[in-house]
Amino acid sequence: MNTKILTEEKIKEAAAIIKNGGLVAFPTETVYGLGANALDPEAVGKVYEAKGRPSDNPMIVHIARASDIGQLTPRLSPDIVTLIENFWPGPLTLVVKRKKGVPDRTTGGLDTVGVRMPDSQLALELIEWAGCPIAAPSANLSGKPSPTRAEDVIEDLDGKVEAILKGPDCRVGIESTVLDVSGETPTILRPGIITPENIEAAIGKKVVVDPALYVNRPRDVSGEEFKPKSPGMKYKHYAPKADMTVIEGNRDKVQAEIERLKALNERLGNKVGVILFEEKAFIEAAHDFFAKLRDLDRQEVDLILAGALSDTDGVGFAVMNRMLKSAGYNIVKV
Ligand code: TXA
Ligand code: MG
């Protein structure tokens, strides 16, 4: 397939492709998404194909006006309304009961649907012009780091989709917080830059974090209670081509261990890349993490050594969720 690389002025052309059942990758404030008409099962099916994504993994449906959530869900609780007022447009996906009209293909057969209104002018205009809600997973090949820059999307999807809408680099850098508000207790299924604390402050009640998110080595755990509730959390994810190790512990020791391992490996003839963020610079870490993984892959390093961020529930925790997955939970404690 000949993929059109479109600039902002061609937004109507991009929207027409979506309207006609095609696929367009587009920027949001979090990461680039690969969009299709969320209400057209055939179009959504093509997204799974282009990404090589398992088809039981549900998609997030993007809307341009908060009130459009009414097309997708039968009931808005007071909490949902408060969350929308506080966080939309923005990087918060709400998992809500779905209306019958939302195809199984979009929800992976679940009776809920993830919805968000992105905080990106280009994304909002694309949805408006397309005239339909847009289902969009991150615009990477399944298993690879999420794309935060147009060139990352081109690398993965050129030749596989009708068009790529080029925009600015993504402001946030990690995917939206996924919050399940379909049941009694709001539950975080995927951490992001909107934290449990932010959500609790808005709705005035306790938020639960899916216990599966605290498990460092899910492969060692067989108990039902740790089965992630978000289907997407169980697949191999964000993996760079290089081998990756996360070094965790006291900051000085982490730095020393990274230097030691780097020197050792270089002596063996390995090319080593390092990811070490400023202590507590969590927002910056979120912004840079996926881009760094992709840059190191382009430099063809053999090994990536990454310093863990020390944060138990905030933005740093959200970055660590991605970092540990990228490394296949390969952790060295110092
Ligand atoms: O920031 C984002 O959320 C980006 C941009 C493009 O909006 N999208 C994104 O989509 O990250 P994706 O498909 O890569 O991740 C969606 C996550 C998956 O882990 C999926 O399992 C979960 O959200 N999810 C979607 N709908 C769900 C549902 N109804 N119930 C539980 N989890 C759901
Ligand atoms: Mg993804």
Side-chain angles (χ1 to χ4, degrees):
M1 187 184 302
N2 187 13
T3 300
K4 287 185 180 162
I5 311 291
L6 302 174
T7 49
E8 292 182 25
E9 318 80 67
K10 300 284 174 59
I11 191 152
K12 286 189 201 166
E13 187 178 339
I17 293 171
I18 300 244
K19 200 182 234 168
N20 294 324
L23 305 187
V24 177
F26 64 98
T28 79
E29 82 280 29
T30 56
V31 301
Y32 272 74
L34 175 56
N37 179 351
L39 303 179
D40 176 351
E42 221 175 286
V44 171
K46 289 197 244 167
V47 174
Y48 290 109
E49 241 172 75
K51 276 185 61 104
R53 176 185 174 112
S55 60
D56 68 333
N57 195 358
M59 297 200 188
I60 293 173
V61 177
H62 298 69
I63 55 179
R65 273 164 304 180
S67 59
D68 287 347
I69 193 176
Q71 296 174 17
L72 307 165
T73 188
R75 196 182 66 92
L76 294 181
S77 67
D79 281 350
I80 296 176
V81 174
T82 306
L83 289 165
I84 290 174
E85 282 169 358
N86 278 271
F87 299 110
W88 281 8
L92 177 68
T93 294
L94 297 172
V95 172
V96 295
K97 289 258 178 290
R98 72 152 161 175
K99 269 191 177 165
K100 290 273 176 296
V102 184
D104 278 339
R105 262 285 164 97
T106 303
T107 67
L110 298 174
D111 63 354
T112 53
V113 57
V115 187
R116 92 177 184 98
M117 177 180 174
D119 184 21
S120 146
Q121 206 46 43
L122 215 47
L124 293 173
E125 280 174 28
L126 180 72
I127 303 165
E128 278 285 353
W129 285 111
C132 59
I134 295 183
S138 47
N140 51 284
L141 291 178
S142 192
K144 288 191 57 178
S146 296
T148 57
R149 304 165 298 194
E151 66 260 32
D152 301 338
V153 181
I154 293 170
E155 181 176 271
D156 278 19
L157 296 180
D158 194 12
K160 296 192 166 71
V161 299
E162 277 79 3
I164 296 170
L165 183 59
K166 266 174 84 162
D169 292 354
C170 300
R171 171 170 61 79
V172 175
I174 55 171
E175 310 88 337
S176 60
T177 304
V178 177
L179 182 71
D180 185 350
V181 282
S182 68
E184 282 293 297
T185 315
T187 307
I188 304 251
L189 304 184
R190 181 176 70 185
I193 69 156
I194 294 180
T195 64
E197 203 184 346
N198 298 151
I199 295 165
E200 283 170 358
I203 57 176
K205 69 163 80 148
K206 192 90 193 114
V207 168
V208 170
V209 177
D210 185 351
L213 298 178
Y214 291 117
V215 180
N216 269 355
R217 293 175 178 76
R219 287 180 208 142
D220 298 340
V221 177
S222 51
E224 183 68 15
E225 71 185 293
F226 289 119
K227 197 169 153 236
K229 292 190 188 66
S230 175
M233 301 305 267
K234 70 181 184 235
Y235 303 110
K236 182 172 145 77
H237 246 94
Y238 312 131
K241 286 184 222 129
D243 234 51
M244 182 166 163
T245 303
V246 175
I247 324 291
E248 191 179 72
N250 163 289
R251 174 86 186 178
D252 294 340
K253 285 193 182 159
V254 166
Q255 214 157 348
E257 183 65 1
I258 287 181
E259 267 155 42
R260 193 180 75 86
L261 290 174
K262 183 168 186 281
L264 270 173
N265 274 280
E266 285 175 344
R267 224 173 298 147
L268 297 174
N270 287 326
K271 197 165 172 188
V272 181
V274 170
I275 300 181
L276 187 63
F277 297 107
E278 293 290 318
E279 211 172 6
K280 311 278 178 212
F282 300 141
I283 297 281
E284 193 189 334
H287 181 268
D288 291 353
F289 179 64
F290 286 133
K292 282 211 157 90
L293 283 186
R294 283 186 176 259
D295 288 346
L296 290 172
D297 265 350
R298 279 183 202 135
Q299 292 162 29
E300 303 193 312
V301 302
D302 303 296
L303 174 67
I304 297 173
L305 299 170
L309 299 167
S310 52
D311 184 25
T312 48
D313 54 8
V315 175
F317 175 73
V319 179
M320 281 313 294
N321 170 268
R322 277 73 176 179
M323 192 187 282
L324 291 171
K325 281 189 195 158
S326 315
Y329 300 91
N330 184 14
I331 308 164
V332 170
K333 294 203 175 164
V334 290

